[in-house]
Structure formats: structure tokens, C-alpha cells
Amino acid sequence: DSSVLAKLDDAEQNERQRDVQLSANTDAMPHLDFTTLLPSKDLSCKRPDEDILTNSVIDGFGDEPFEDFPPSQHQFHEQVLENAKKSRLQDGDKTSTPFRNTDCAIKAGTERNMEDKTKRPTKARRSMTDQLKRTMVCNAAAPSSVSRTVVLKEAVVSEEISVAMRAMETVSAETPDLGPFFGLPTKVKDLMFTLRGIKTLYDWQETCLNLDCVQTRKNLIYSLPTSGGKTLVAEILILRELLCRKKDCLFVLPFISLVQEKVRGLASFGLELDFMVEEYAGSKGKFPPVKRSNKASLYIATIEKAHSLINSLIETSRIEKLGLVVVDELHMLGDGSRGAVIEMTLAKVLYISKTTQIIGMSATLGNIIDLQTFLRAENYTNDFRPIQLKEYVKLHDTIYEVDPTEEECFRFSRLLNFKYSSTMQKIDPDHIIALVNEVIPTHSCLVFCPTKKNCENVAGMICKYLKEEFLQRRNAEKAVLLRDLKDSGNGSVCPVLRRTVPYGLAYHHSGLTSEERKLVEEAYSNGVLCLLTCTSTLAAGINLPARRVILRSPYVATDFLKRSQYKQMVGRAGRAGIDTVGESILILQDKERNMVSAKSLVCAPMENCYSNLMHDEGKGLLSLILSLIGLNITTSLDQVKEFLSGTLLHLQQRVLCAEKSLWDVVQQCVDLLKNKELITVTTHSHGQTLEVTKLGKATYKGSVDLTYSNMLYKDLSKGLDGLLLNSYLHLVYLVTPYDMISQCKPDWMTYFRQFTLLSAAEQKMSAAIGVPESFLARKAAGQTVKKSVNMDVVMRMYLALVLFTLLKETNLWSVADKFQLSRGFIQTLLSSASAFCSSVLHFTEELEEFWPFKALLTELTRRLSYCVKAELIPLMEVAGVMEARAKQLYNTGYKTLTHLANADPAVLSKTIQNLYKKQANQIVASAKMLLNEKAAALQEEVDDLLMIPLDLPTPSNAEELI
């Protein structure tokens, strides 16, 4: 404090003047009594060498109050005074007898004064300065007893600083910036390069990530053409939410295969950056999700599983922990029942959580404003493509370039230059062979066909006219692919693939098993295959780009292509980093050239996207209202209307509710739910109260279609009366999906033959549900059956027999052969059954009378999910590991999840045949993530068990109870 230092300087200056005067007086009057010059104190207790200046300097401060000084200066003042006091006490003890001889005293005083007159001031100043420095250095550390007012003042300041620090932490949590890579640590940028090979982002990606709405966490819809790099932006935003805000994220993808691919791709990021990656697809996913106290989770889910997950988080009051929801293919809001589920999911998030951000990735839509309004979102649109796309149409042997600036939308480009014999012309009137020969085998090609059978036929036709040099290209790798296909089929290979693969061709559609599709996709991505004939599902699935995309026809089955489907298909043309251009060719016939639809397909704006809550007689709206009541989001009709006012349906009600008003439809839905005994309506003076019944709760928690809810309840109740437990057949029948019945057309002789192979108990069970042997015998013999039989039960039993046989044999090919069904259909049936089994399990958990089913269906779900021998199931749980790969791993010694999690990817890729290093890395990372997930779940369970209950009775409460 400057005032203290100023006083100190003044005191020292006075002392110097006093020294000068003393010195002058001593020289002039050597025999005077110098005690008269000293302060009026008793000298009898003074030491001969006492430092008088120390006290005199302090005396110079006077008696001014110190209340305004900091505690350290109070301490300094008190410490000096205390030292002086101690010195006087000590001197009093040592010189208890005063000087008796005045002359002696004068002499001693004079000698001491003469000896130290030049030293004393310096010594005094040095001691005072040192003392002051020491005190100031210890300013904050040295405690001191000061007035209560001063202590309170400092406490207030300290608290204000603490509050400010907490506020700063809050601000940094809301707008975190942990590093130079779009608010993320440099480690993330390094991982992007190491794991993905990404060095820099496209300009549009940087622009999008730096948008104000992104920085302030507002909802966003961004639209770009296929292959523009939309997913990377979403992943960076997800990582920012997980790492910076420590919040959970939900990534919604349309297909199980995409979910599994994304789980594999992000598992390594999760391990390196310490967050969980959890798969919610098919029968996978825990409800409610494991509550993690020290890690954030990334849930990667299909559309249906995402809805169940949101319901579960709302029910357990954990929705606020969900920081971000990312929806891929947002335009699927307009896609039937799946679109209705997306709308339900997002509407609930918007209504319940004000802190959860929603990001939607979409194709360009005609009515994007409707989606913006629904999601309260900003919109970012860009027409960027990393590779230029040129679109063409072909008529006869002439190719026209698509040019929207032309009046007819088409401009002549060139004539095909390929010699066709008369035989070839008959087999290939569309000149597909000429078009593919222009690019393969040097470049890749995709040929989209209208049907699955057409895919196989076109692949076989092309092979007939390819040169023999195609057989020599990468023949060793193609031989390995054929061997892997054979292993995946337990010794069987599709005859079409056996013929086409040596030429570098294959087909790709839902008729293949998931393992076959995966092998074909990997071979195509690695250049072993140069051409795929495929259906439109490939365009919406995994990313398999090509130099040229050919659309065999402007139809999908018998339906004319939608503009969005067309854009998705042609968007596969152009491989970033490989090609400089991509091109698409749509093949047209004479009758289609002048069709308005053909012109609109390639040149018109994108279609509008409409709500599907009213789809299929309002089934989506019924499900939504039931879950709203069940989750206690709404308990009255007015609250239901309030919720619906925030939906896309409400925005588009003028178009979608032309016959009846939306509120009439809502009232009708409530009445229907009441009639189905899924809700109760209580009328009172203030209005009506809506409550869900036990059956209603089981229905929405099990995600059971309302059409089948009562039917399922009756089947399960009847099943309890005589449940067959010496085989899986009865349980399998109970979880066979109702919606697969319509696809079943059994061969009656095959049906009867397989029935006769059942045990007596199994045949008795079949008769009990309504499928007796006599009925099947008559049908197999071609006789008329007079007795009425429920054909839905008969068809469902047939599908159950297929699944039952598959569980016993675990050989999909042999089962397909026995029942004369395609292996693709059987795998679809198996996948649907495992998902429905999981739903039935959740359904029975809510109804006490079905308690026996819990343990039984838990194990059955596990078996249906993998349908392999028990020892392979732990390996099959790892994302990306199929049956053939699991067998390879098991036979090589990697028999458990722990083995796989601790494997060296380099050693693994060398040990396992045809396993690339990248695949090995992904498998090991996925295994580690799964192992971490299981361990974390167990740890959370332990923590919950050891936690002291919050409602534990206290002694006073216990006394009150007594």
C-alpha cells in the first residue's frame, strides 16, 4: 500500500534528521546527558546495543486507525509491535539492576552512540525493508486475527470470484472450444487422417460447420447431392457433442446394414476418445439404455429402434441427457409407415426436450420449408459434388445428354459404336453389353434393374459376350471370393455367381444372404469385381460408387421411378479420388420418349414430402396417441391436440385432412383405442382424463403393430394353457411375424412332408393351434377341405416350421432347398422373427400373467438373432463378423469376445484368410467396444447396488414409525 510506504519513508527521513542533530550536539557538548534526547521511557530496561530506530520508526506512524488496510498490513504492524514488546521484556530480565553511576551511563551511551551513529540508520532501514518484503510475500498465506468486518469483506469477494469461475465453466460448456479442429482437439483431426485418410474438408463442409445456427446449437437441415460428404459433417457435430458437452447422441439410419457399418466405422473413434458406441438394430439394444455416469454414449439406431429408445429415455426422465439427434435420409419422412415413425420420434424430442439439437440430412425437397417449420430449423443447401455428374438417356442406339436449358430437356450427344450380330440384337435389344464394355474392366459399373430376377439374367447375359481376358484379370482373388462364398453357404454356391464371378461380375439384391452381400460388396469395393447388377435398394444402402451407372428401365417392378429414387441411383456415379467424372445412362423405349413422366424424371424439381401419420388408415396417428398417453406426455384430449399442433401433419392438414378435420380424426382415434381396450377415458366435471391400460402399455413398449396387438395377446394366453417346452416349435410359432404371412405361398406336399418329421408332441401342439395333420394330408393330396380352417394360422405355422428347421440345422441353404424358398427370403424371415421376438419379450414384460415368457424369449431372441452353433454366438455379436468369419476365428483359436478384443490386428489379418488389415482393425475395435460396454454395464450395476438409498429411513423417521 502506497500510504504505508510513504509513512515509512517519512519516518526514516525524520530519523536521519534526528541522527544528524544528535551527532552535532554530541560533538559540541560531549558531557551532556544524552538521555534527555531519547523518548521519555524507562532506560533501566534497555540493552546497551538496542536498536532505538526500530521503535522510533514505528512511533512515526502515530495512532492512526488501520481498519482500511489489508490483513497483511495489520499483521505487519502487530508483528513489529510484538517484537518490540518482547525485546523490552527480555532486556528487563537481563539488566534488572539500573546504572548507579550516572557518569558511567553517560560514557557508555556516548561510546555506543559514537560507534553506531553511521551504522544504525542503514541497519534499521534494511531490517524494516526486509520485514516488509517478507510480510508482503506472505500476504495471502499468513493468517491473521483481524476484525470480523474485514474477514466478511474478503469472504464476499472470494465467493464472487467462485461464482464467476463457475459461470465461466458454464459458458465454456455451452460454447466449448477444445481445439483447432472445429472446436475439437487436434487428436480428432489426426484420427480422421489415420482412420479415414481425410486431410482437409470441402469448402461447403467448413461453411456448414461454421454456420451461426450450428455454433448456437439450433436445429439444422442440410441438403446435398449423393456422395457430397454429408455424413462427415454429422460425425464432427456428434463428436463435438460427445467430447465437449459430454452429452449422449443418437444417429438414426434407415437400414440395419448401414447401422452395422457405422458402428464398425466409429468404434475406433470411441476407443481413442473414450465414449461408448452402442448398436440399436434388429434385436440389439437395451431398454432403457445402460445409465453411464462417467462416459457419454453414441446410440446408432434404425428408425424403429430410435423411436423405442426415445420412448424409453422419456419414460425414465433421461431425455435431457440426449444432446443431439442426427437423422440420415430425412426425406424418408414421406416414406409410408417408416416416415410416420420418424415423425413421431422427432415430434416427441421437440416437445419434451428444449436442449436437444436436431440435425437432418436430406436430399433436396420441393417443400423444404414445411420440414424447417416442423423442426424449427435453419436450412443449408449446396449443389456440390466432388465429382462432376453427367446425365444421359439412351433411345435405340442414340445417346442424348440431359440439359435442362434445352426445350425438350435432351441434347444429342453421340451414337453407339458397337457391332451387334443379329443374335446379340435379339438377346440384348437395349445395348447393355455395348454400354458396359465402354468402361469395364478398367472402370467400375452399376446396372440398376427393375426386378431381382432381371438382375440375375442381365449379369448372366453380359458374361456371354465378354472377352476371355476378363477371366485372367485378378483371377487369384476371384478364386478366393468364390471359396469364401462357398464357405458362407456351407459348401453351396449360387450357380449364377459361380458363373459370373470369374468374369468380375455379380448381382446384388435381397435374395442374397447378408453374408453373400457383404462378400460381394467388399470384392466390388476392392476392384475384384468391376460390375454389379442390382436393384434400387443398393442406391439407398451402403456407398458403392461407380464410374458409370446404367438404369436398365425407368421402373421399379411395375412402378414408374420417383424423381428422388432416380437422383439417388444416378448419384452413385463418380468415385471421389479415383474418377474425374461420373456418368449415368437411363435406357428408354419408344413408348417412353414422349412421356411427360420421362421428362419430369430427369428435369423436374424434386417431389414434396408429406406426413405419413395418416398412412394406412391412420395407423401411425393411433400409435402416436397411444404412446403419448402411455408416457404421460398427454392425459387429456386438449393436451393431445396441443402436442399434435407441433407435428408435420398439423402443418399439412389442409392437404392431408381434406375429408375430415384433424381434430375429428383425433377424436376418432381416441374412440378406436378405447374400443380396443388400449386406453380408458374417464369423464368428470373438468373434462376427460385419458389413461393407458396394461395391454396398451405393453403394446407401445413392445412396439407392436396395433393391428396385431389383441391377436398377439390371445395367442400368448392360449399358448400358456398348453405350452410345449420339449422343443422350440411352440415358442417359434408365437414369435413368427404376422406381417410375413402375406408373403407365404407354401408347397403343400413340402408342408406335409416336413410336418410328418415332427415328434408326436409337436404334431399335437400344431393341431391344438388349428393345423391338424388331416388338413395338411388333404391339401397335399389335392383334395378339397370342407372344414373351415383359419388360413392365417396355417400360413404362420408353415413359416414357424421353416424357422424351427433352421434353428435345428443352422444351414440356410439346406433349409431353402427343403422348403423350395429363396435363401434371401429365409434370411429376411429370420431377421424379422428375431426383431419380433424382441418386441414380444418387451410386450410380455408388462403383463404379469405372461411372466414365464421372460426367460424363454430372452434365450430364443439370442438364438434367432444369430442362428449358429452356440459356441459362435459370442463372436457373432461383434459388428462385421458373419458366420463364416466366426468359424474362421473360432478354428484359429479366437473363441471368445475377450480373445478377439485382445488380438493384434496385424497378426489377425495374416492368420485369417482373405481378411484385410482395415477389416481386422475394425473387428478388433468393435470387439473392444463391445467388451467395454458389457464391463461398464456390470460396473454400473455394482455401483447401483452399493449406493446408499436416498429414501433410507433416518432415526427420527424410524421413531415416528414406531
Side-chain angles (χ1 to χ4, degrees):
D1 192 297
S2 59
S3 61
V4 177
L5 296 176
K7 291 178 181 179
L8 182 62
D9 288 340
D10 291 343
E12 289 185 328
Q13 187 65 32
N14 293 337
E15 192 61 29
R16 289 194 192 96
Q17 293 175 1
R18 184 180 296 180
D19 287 344
V20 172
Q21 292 173 1
L22 287 173
S23 178
N25 292 336
T26 302
D27 293 340
M29 296 174 291
H31 301 292
L32 290 178
D33 186 354
F34 287 95
T35 56
T36 60
L37 299 176
L38 296 175
S40 55
K41 295 180 181 178
D42 186 3
L43 295 179
S44 61
C45 59
K46 289 286 182 183
R47 289 200 310 266
D49 61 343
E50 181 175 352
D51 192 344
I52 300 172
L53 180 58
T54 302
N55 289 332
S56 65
V57 170
I58 295 302
D59 292 340
F61 282 94
D63 297 322
E64 295 176 20
F66 279 73
E67 285 81 5
D68 295 331
F69 294 160
S72 59
Q73 294 181 12
H74 281 284
Q75 181 189 1
F76 166 71
H77 175 63
E78 291 169 2
Q79 190 173 344
V80 174
L81 291 177
E82 185 66 23
N83 290 341
K85 184 177 179 182
K86 286 180 180 178
S87 295
R88 287 194 293 270
L89 290 173
Q90 290 169 359
D91 290 342
D93 291 337
K94 291 178 183 178
T95 56
S96 56
T97 306
F99 288 114
R100 295 180 181 178
N101 189 330
T102 306
D103 292 338
C104 178
I106 293 172
K107 184 178 180 181
T110 303
E111 289 174 353
R112 180 168 56 82
N113 188 62
M114 292 297 293
E115 181 180 341
D116 296 333
K117 66 179 180 179
T118 56
K119 297 179 182 179
R120 188 166 58 244
T122 305
K123 178 181 176 183
R125 283 194 297 275
R126 185 166 58 249
S127 64
M128 289 302 300
T129 304
D130 292 342
Q131 180 73 6
L132 185 60
K133 283 182 179 179
R134 282 198 302 273
T135 307
M136 284 183 156
V137 168
C138 300
N139 185 30
S144 60
S145 56
V146 294
S147 69
R148 181 171 175 79
T149 305
V150 175
V151 172
L152 289 174
K153 282 183 179 179
E154 289 200 336
V156 170
V157 172
S158 177
E159 178 61 24
E160 288 174 349
I161 291 172
S162 178
V163 170
M165 291 297 290
R166 287 198 298 271
M168 288 176 66
E169 290 172 1
T170 305
V171 170
S172 66
E174 291 298 326
T175 56
D177 186 4
L178 300 184
F181 188 64
F182 301 100
L184 286 166
T186 306
K187 185 176 182 179
V188 176
K189 185 177 182 180
D190 295 339
L191 284 173
M192 283 290 180
F193 177 68
T194 305
L195 300 175
R196 301 277 184 83
I198 297 172
K199 291 183 180 179
T200 57
L201 271 62
Y202 297 129
D203 289 344
W204 83 263
Q205 290 172 326
E206 294 200 12
T207 301
C208 187
L209 287 167
N210 288 313
L211 290 173
D212 289 340
C213 61
V214 173
Q215 301 301 323
T216 55
R217 299 191 68 256
K218 292 180 181 177
N219 297 343
L220 172 70
I221 300 170
Y222 61 98
S223 322
L224 281 98
T226 303
S227 304
K230 295 191 291 289
T231 306
L232 179 59
V233 170
E235 289 177 354
I236 290 173
L237 293 174
I238 286 170
L239 290 175
R240 199 152 72 181
E241 196 72 20
L242 291 165
L243 303 181
C244 303
R245 300 189 73 244
K246 307 295 182 185
K247 294 284 189 178
D248 297 335
C249 297
L250 171 60
F251 198 169
V252 186
L253 297 160
F255 303 110
I256 293 176
S257 59
L258 289 177
V259 169
Q260 292 172 339
E261 183 183 25
K262 193 56 64 180
V263 168
R264 289 196 301 271
L266 290 175
S268 297
F269 284 90
L271 291 173
E272 292 289 339
L273 301 170
D274 198 32
F275 62 84
M276 304 302 296
V277 178
E278 301 182 42
E279 179 182 344
Y280 279 77
S283 60
K284 290 188 177 180
K286 192 169 183 179
F287 299 103
V290 176
K291 193 174 183 179
R292 308 189 190 284
S293 55
N294 58 348
K295 280 189 180 182
S297 292
L298 168 57
Y299 309 114
I300 304 179
T302 56
I303 293 167
E304 295 75 16
K305 284 289 184 177
H307 184 227
S308 298
L309 182 64
I310 291 297
N311 283 345
S312 181
L313 292 173
I314 292 172
E315 186 176 35
T316 54
S317 302
R318 290 167 53 190
I319 192 69
E320 297 295 334
K321 184 73 168 63
L322 188 67
L324 176 65
V325 175
V326 175
V327 182
D328 193 13
E329 311 291 354
L330 184 64
H331 54 272
M332 286 186 71
L333 272 166
D335 184 18
S337 59
R338 304 195 83 201
V341 176
I342 296 173
E343 185 173 350
M344 287 188 268
T345 305
L346 296 178
K348 286 174 183 174
V349 172
L350 287 166
Y351 189 82
I352 299 295
S353 177
K354 306 305 178 188
T355 59
T356 303
Q357 185 184 16
I358 296 174
I359 302 290
M361 296 182 282
S362 171
T364 306
L365 294 172
N367 62 337
I368 194 74
I369 298 295
D370 282 357
L371 268 62
Q372 278 186 256
T373 308
F374 164 47
L375 295 178
R376 304 160 208 164
E378 302 287 333
N379 179 41
Y380 176 80
T381 304
N382 196 301
D383 59 0
F384 171 81
R385 273 185 59 90
I387 303 298
Q388 182 188 2
L389 171 63
K390 292 186 177 180
E391 297 176 46
Y392 300 92
V393 296
K394 186 192 82 69
L395 183 69
H396 301 308
D397 60 352
T398 307
I399 293 178
Y400 301 88
E401 185 174 355
V402 175
D403 187 353
T405 61
E406 293 284 330
E407 185 178 349
E408 290 298 318
C409 205
F410 306 120
R411 184 179 70 246
F412 173 80
S413 176
R414 63 188 175 92
L415 292 173
L416 276 177
N417 184 22
F418 193 87
K419 292 182 180 180
Y420 267 74
S421 64
S422 58
T423 306
M424 283 180 68
Q425 187 66 39
K426 289 178 182 178
I427 294 175
D428 181 25
D430 294 326
H431 305 100
I432 293 174
I433 295 169
L435 293 173
V436 301
N437 264 289
E438 290 178 345
V439 289
I440 65 170
T442 308
H443 300 288
S444 58
C445 183
L446 293 175
V447 181
F448 284 101
C449 302
T451 65
K452 289 185 283 189
K453 190 64 180 173
N454 192 233
C455 285
E456 298 175 32
N457 292 339
V458 169
M461 177 198 69
I462 294 172
C463 286
K464 284 183 180 180
Y465 297 97
L466 291 179
K467 297 177 182 178
E468 286 195 8
E469 63 188 56
F470 278 81
L471 294 170
Q472 307 305 320
R473 186 177 177 274
R474 304 183 73 162
N475 56 349
E477 291 164 284
K478 287 184 285 194
V480 171
L481 173 59
L482 283 171
R483 186 168 62 247
D484 288 343
L485 287 168
K486 186 175 181 180
D487 291 342
S488 74
N490 289 309
S492 302
V493 182
C494 169
V496 177
L497 291 178
R498 188 189 296 119
R499 182 183 169 206
T500 61
V501 166
Y503 284 93
L505 277 64
Y507 68 89
H508 184 290
H509 59 60
S510 59
L512 293 171
T513 67
S514 56
E515 197 151 2
E516 286 175 315
R517 282 200 300 270
K518 190 168 186 296
L519 288 169
V520 167
E521 289 161 6
E522 287 175 355
Y524 178 81
S525 296
N526 293 316
V528 177
L529 298 176
C530 59
L531 183 143
L532 293 183
T533 57
C534 50
T535 53
S536 59
T537 52
L538 183 139
I542 58 172
N543 187 24
L544 293 177
R547 170 64 176 268
R548 175 175 288 180
V549 169
I550 299 170
L551 278 68
R552 165 81 174 73
S553 164
Y555 290 89
V556 173
T558 56
D559 298 326
F560 199 81
L561 275 177
K562 293 179 183 177
R563 168 80 170 149
S564 56
Q565 290 175 312
Y566 168 79
K567 293 300 288 184
Q568 209 161 33
M569 290 179 184
V570 302
R572 294 296 175 195
R575 298 166 299 171
I578 301 173
D579 297 325
T580 55
V581 68
E583 53 190 27
S584 68
I585 301 175
L586 170 63
I587 298 173
L588 297 175
Q589 308 301 326
D590 278 331
K591 60 180 180 179
E592 295 155 352
R593 177 175 185 179
N594 296 320
M595 288 174 60
V596 176
S597 51
K599 184 176 178 181
S600 66
L601 184 64
V602 294
C603 293
M606 297 295 287
E607 302 99 342
N608 290 338
C609 175
Y610 291 106
S611 168
N612 272 270
L613 288 178
M614 298 291 289
H615 174 73
D616 197 7
E617 299 180 352
K619 193 182 290 184
L621 187 57
L622 277 169
S623 297
L624 174 58
I625 294 173
L626 177 63
S627 64
L628 291 177
I629 298 168
L631 292 167
N632 287 320
I633 296 173
T634 58
T635 57
S636 69
L637 202 57
D638 288 339
Q639 288 178 343
V640 171
K641 291 178 179 178
E642 180 190 350
F643 180 94
L644 290 175
S645 65
T647 61
L648 183 61
L649 174 61
H650 181 265
L651 283 173
Q652 300 172 336
Q653 59 180 314
R654 289 185 180 178
V655 178
L656 302 175
C657 303
E659 297 178 3
K660 291 183 182 178
S661 73
L662 178 57
W663 308 130
D664 288 340
V665 174
V666 170
Q667 182 65 62
Q668 187 178 328
C669 287
V670 170
D671 292 340
L672 186 57
L673 290 171
K674 181 184 176 183
N675 294 336
K676 285 178 172 284
E677 298 181 346
L678 298 175
I679 66 170
T680 60
V681 180
T682 307
T683 304
H684 45 75
S685 58
H686 301 293
Q688 293 180 330
T689 300
L690 308 176
E691 291 183 11
V692 72
T693 63
K694 288 185 177 180
L695 178 59
K697 187 175 183 181
T699 301
Y700 87 78
K701 290 201 75 170
S703 299
V704 176
D705 191 318
L706 295 182
T707 308
Y708 309 120
S709 178
N710 278 300
M711 199 182 304
L712 176 62
Y713 182 83
K714 290 175 182 177
D715 285 344
L716 291 171
S717 299
K718 189 177 180 181
L720 280 179
D721 294 338
L723 190 59
L724 179 69
L725 292 177
N726 61 358
S727 83
Y728 277 113
L729 181 60
H730 199 171
L731 283 174
V732 167
Y733 171 78
L734 291 174
V735 301
T736 299
Y738 294 100
D739 57 2
M740 293 289 290
I741 294 172
S742 60
Q743 302 177 44
C744 178
K745 295 179 181 179
D747 178 90
W748 293 108
M749 184 57 75
T750 301
Y751 196 165
F752 180 65
R753 188 183 302 116
Q754 294 302 319
F755 182 89
T756 59
L757 297 176
L758 297 175
S759 67
E762 290 165 345
Q763 289 183 6
K764 185 179 179 181
M765 168 252 143
S766 178
I769 64 171
V771 189
E773 181 180 8
S774 57
F775 169 80
L776 293 177
R778 285 180 175 276
K779 293 293 287 185
Q783 299 175 3
T784 305
V785 179
K786 295 180 180 178
K787 187 178 179 181
S788 64
V789 176
N790 187 332
M791 289 305 293
D792 282 349
V793 173
V794 173
M795 299 302 180
R796 195 169 179 227
M797 185 62 195
Y798 181 70
L799 295 176
L801 269 178
V802 175
L803 290 168
F804 178 63
T805 307
L806 188 59
L807 280 177
K808 285 196 299 183
E809 298 185 11
T810 67
N811 188 330
L812 193 146
W813 281 78
S814 67
V815 174
D817 186 53
K818 282 180 182 179
F819 287 88
Q820 297 300 300
L821 295 169
S822 76
R823 60 194 183 280
F825 173 81
I826 292 179
Q827 183 145 69
T828 301
L829 173 63
L830 180 64
S831 177
S832 298
S834 68
F836 188 58
C837 187
S838 177
S839 292
V840 175
L841 172 59
H842 294 305
F843 181 89
T844 57
E845 285 175 338
E846 299 302 320
L847 298 163
E848 293 177 9
E849 61 266 39
F850 294 144
W851 64 267
F853 285 114
K854 183 174 181 180
L856 296 170
L857 294 180
T858 299
E859 178 57 25
L860 183 59
T861 301
R862 182 175 161 89
R863 284 183 172 268
L864 286 171
S865 297
Y866 305 107
C867 197
V868 294
K869 291 180 180 179
E871 64 265 20
L872 297 180
I873 289 178
L875 299 175
M876 293 278 287
E877 289 180 343
V878 178
V881 175
M882 301 289 184
E883 183 180 4
R885 185 73 77 206
K887 286 178 180 177
Q888 284 181 315
L889 292 166
Y890 189 86
N891 293 334
T892 316
Y894 299 97
K895 299 185 177 183
T896 67
L897 184 62
T898 309
H899 283 150
L900 209 51
N902 289 283
D904 182 344
V907 174
L908 199 64
S909 62
K910 291 178 181 177
T911 307
I912 305 300
Q913 193 173 31
N914 200 31
L915 180 66
Y916 298 103
K917 182 73 179 291
K918 181 181 178 181
Q919 295 170 325
N921 281 322
Q922 288 184 337
I923 287 173
V924 172
S926 297
K928 285 180 178 177
M929 181 56 69
L930 189 58
L931 199 63
N932 287 350
E933 188 181 325
K934 289 177 180 288
L938 290 172
Q939 185 60 54
E940 293 289 341
E941 192 174 339
V942 170
D943 292 343
D944 286 343
L945 288 171
L946 296 178
M947 186 181 295
I948 298 173
L950 297 175
D951 57 351
L952 185 69
T954 61
S956 59
N957 290 340
E959 290 172 7
E960 289 174 9
L961 290 172
I962 294 171

